[in-house]
Amino acid sequence: MVSTVPYGAWQSPVGAELAASHGGGPDFVGMAGDELWWVSPRPAEEGRFALVRRRAGGPEETVLPAPWNVRNRVMEYGGLPWAAAARETGGPLVVFTHFGDQRLYVFEPDAPAGSARRDPRPLTPVSSVGGGLRWADPVLLPDRGEVWCVLEEFTGGGPCDVRRLLVAVPLDGSAARDRGAVRELTDGRSRFVTGPRLSPDGRQAAWIAWDHPRMPWEGTELKTAHVSADGRLSGARTVLGGPEESVAQAEWAADGSLLAASDRSSWWNLYRVDPATGESTALCRREEEFAGPLWRVGQRWFAPLPGGLIATVHGRGAAVLGILDPASGEIADVAGPWTEWAPTLAVAGTRAVGVAASPRSTYEVVELDVCTGRARPVGARHTDRVDPAHYPEPLVRTFAGPGGREVHANLYPPRNPGHVAPEGELPPYVVMAHGGPTARSPLVLDLVTVFFTSRGIGVAEVNYGGSTGYGRAYRERLRGQWGVVDVEDCAAVAAALAAEGIADPARIAVRGGSAGGWTAVASLAATSLYACGTVLYPVLDLETWAAEDGTHDFESRYLDWLVGPRDEVPGLYAERSPLRRADRISTPFLLLQGLSDPVCPAAQSERLLAAMAGRGVPHTYLAFEGEGHGFRRVGTIVRALEAELSLYAQTFGVTAPGVPALELVTT
């Protein structure tokens, strides 16, 4: 029976706890012989990440019990945390990083019960208090008796007192007590390094490096070096990339050729590179992206198959999996319901494995048989899924922004089979600004979105200028214009929704986290389009954030590109900062913050609260102990979602069934 109920007050089977328990998805897939491995989030287990495997023809198994947390903090966003190698006998050998102490461990999951080899054994030293050692992006080389990886080593008490280099860690455990037993492969002159790759003959190494003030999507260098008999690197040289060219990934093919993804054509395309001369040949020149922003070391958009074909994620405004024949430049895309593939791929023999989602399914592990073209999900699927009739029917839209520029957005209209709204009523909408800001909101099923749409609140995810997936020119729109282009593009979408009769113009909210939190607060201060806003772990004060200890090292010079070098445009740092324009905020807002956030410290949120004191604007601040940049615990996510829904209900003038009322402070 369908009942008539105002938008925003619909009964929904998608509660906050259900949405929270499905947060995240499988990540960092890999192969060890016939076995498939990946990392899986466990929001109900204090937000830890479990290491999972699936043997050929067998069920999914969680390999390490709590409290093992397979994650690291390299560059604060973390990176590839594990590697495995198949052996002829005894099962695979596995290395991983544990979040609790950031050490690198080794274990043999199939060793006899009771064997010391079955339990994780540390390979790296205990970190010193206040600084220490972090490891990521491991490449396991059992024949050499070592694992190559990225080392992030803090040299002082500040977040920018750090060096990063490629190192070789012995598998015999000799470095567990002795930092000196870790062999340094690079000299540390490059501020950032990732992707250590050894050629099939073992004679050459390749990796990616870049330096401040560039971010990896601005300009990186693909480097190669000779590998001596004792494992030392010599003759390092740059063969591709530079200050205005981003090389996002490099791999050696089975025939010894070097493959790389570069945006030298203004789109990340694939190239074959001569490691001796640096000459490159485009393998498939298209106005599409075959890579993306390197936010985490170890991301993988393509993987060469043994026979010469290449599995690659590619697309424009979306990312699908295809098999590229480099001889002809032709791509055969994978058939199936998946419309978005994550930047994690692995191959073995004729199998390619990745993580994919669609507007009707959340991210899941998918395996492709390259010979037959058959793709199928192989990981465990959620058993408590709701009736798909509650899922929104999304729309991909392109709106006109200022000056007629294109603004891309994904719309998720309200949908619930049990309810309709009163005739003539327009739905409220939440305009969402993604983080990064160099990132993109994909068109996939997200139960957090369904949490709102199934209650009668529409969602519009804006891929504003600066987003990835649309070529370098679209990314470059945000250069020097952060706080302008992003705010204008979100406003253009909000205004269009109202003008087209899609949304109630009096009931549009803005929401964002991290860089999106900046956009949300800046939007509340810049326009009267929004009735309220939700702000999660935001950037608020550019002057403080750009200070020596304002944020972590990875993004400490990001503002040079987003706004301009501080010594050249000092006035813009104050002019753009939402904290300096708090007196212009007059609509209710919810501010959510993790108290252990090293990227956007809680001090910025607290300064916004101080600036709002005495202004009579309704607001609430919720801070969460133990949460960092991005919430991972079920309890935190539930509290945040229910508070957000309560804010919208109060502002939009409806009652949200079963949701605790949020107390808004006006002092």
Side-chain angles (χ1 to χ4, degrees), residues 24-39:
D27 201 359
F28 293 120
V29 297
M31 305 288 290
D34 289 334
E35 295 187 2
L36 173 60
W37 291 65
W38 66 91
V39 172

Side-chain angles (χ1 to χ4, degrees), residues 584-660:
R584 304 181 189 180
I585 299 174
S586 59
T587 53
F589 66 89
L590 170 65
L591 182 58
L592 303 166
Q593 178 71 50
L595 293 178
S596 299
D597 191 339
V599 179
C600 296
Q604 292 217 2
S605 289
E606 292 162 0
R607 290 179 62 195
L608 176 62
L609 296 176
M612 296 301 298
R615 297 200 52 244
V617 177
H619 64 277
T620 293
Y621 176 54
L622 298 179
F624 300 97
E625 292 281 356
E627 290 284 11
H629 198 66
F631 302 151
R632 292 180 172 85
R633 299 174 179 174
V634 164
T636 301
I637 300 171
V638 167
R639 180 73 179 102
L641 279 177
E642 291 183 341
E644 183 176 356
L645 180 58
S646 181
L647 169 70
Y648 300 151
Q650 292 181 53
T651 306
F652 299 157
V654 297
T655 299
V659 175

Side-chain angles (χ1 to χ4, degrees), residues 27-29 39 70-83 97 102 134-139 148-152 163-166 190-197 207-210 215-217 220 247-251 292-301 343-345 552-554:
D27 201 359
F28 293 120
V29 297
V39 172
V70 184
R71 183 173 156 233
N72 56 66
R73 287 184 58 185
V74 167
M75 300 191 330
E76 294 303 344
Y77 293 112
L80 179 65
W82 72 275
T97 55
Q102 294 297 304
R134 300 173 182 175
W135 318 81
D137 206 3
V139 176
W148 287 14
C149 60
V150 174
L151 166 61
E152 183 175 72
R163 64 194 291 255
R164 296 178 188 86
L165 56 162
L166 301 181
S190 297
R191 188 76 171 191
F192 303 94
V193 290
T194 186
R197 297 292 186 267
W207 67 96
I208 293 170
W210 71 97
M215 298 298 285
W217 43 87
T220 61
V247 181
Q249 183 189 340
E251 304 287 343
L294 193 64
W295 278 102
R296 300 182 299 164
V297 296
Q299 289 180 299
R300 204 176 191 197
W301 290 268
T344 176
L345 285 177
H552 62 141
D553 183 60
F554 176 53

Side-chain angles (χ1 to χ4, degrees), residues 269-270 272 281-286 288 290 308-310 312 314 322-333:
N269 281 188
L270 297 183
R272 192 182 307 278
T281 302
L283 300 181
C284 182
R285 192 179 296 279
R286 292 189 181 189
E288 294 183 8
F290 287 73
L309 301 177
I310 303 171
T312 179
H314 71 102
I323 302 300
L324 169 66
D325 181 352
S328 65
E330 296 181 354
I331 298 179
D333 288 339

Side-chain angles (χ1 to χ4, degrees), residues 433-449:
H434 62 69
T438 307
R440 177 173 60 88
S441 293
L443 190 76
V444 299
L445 177 66
D446 183 344
L447 289 190
V448 170
T449 299

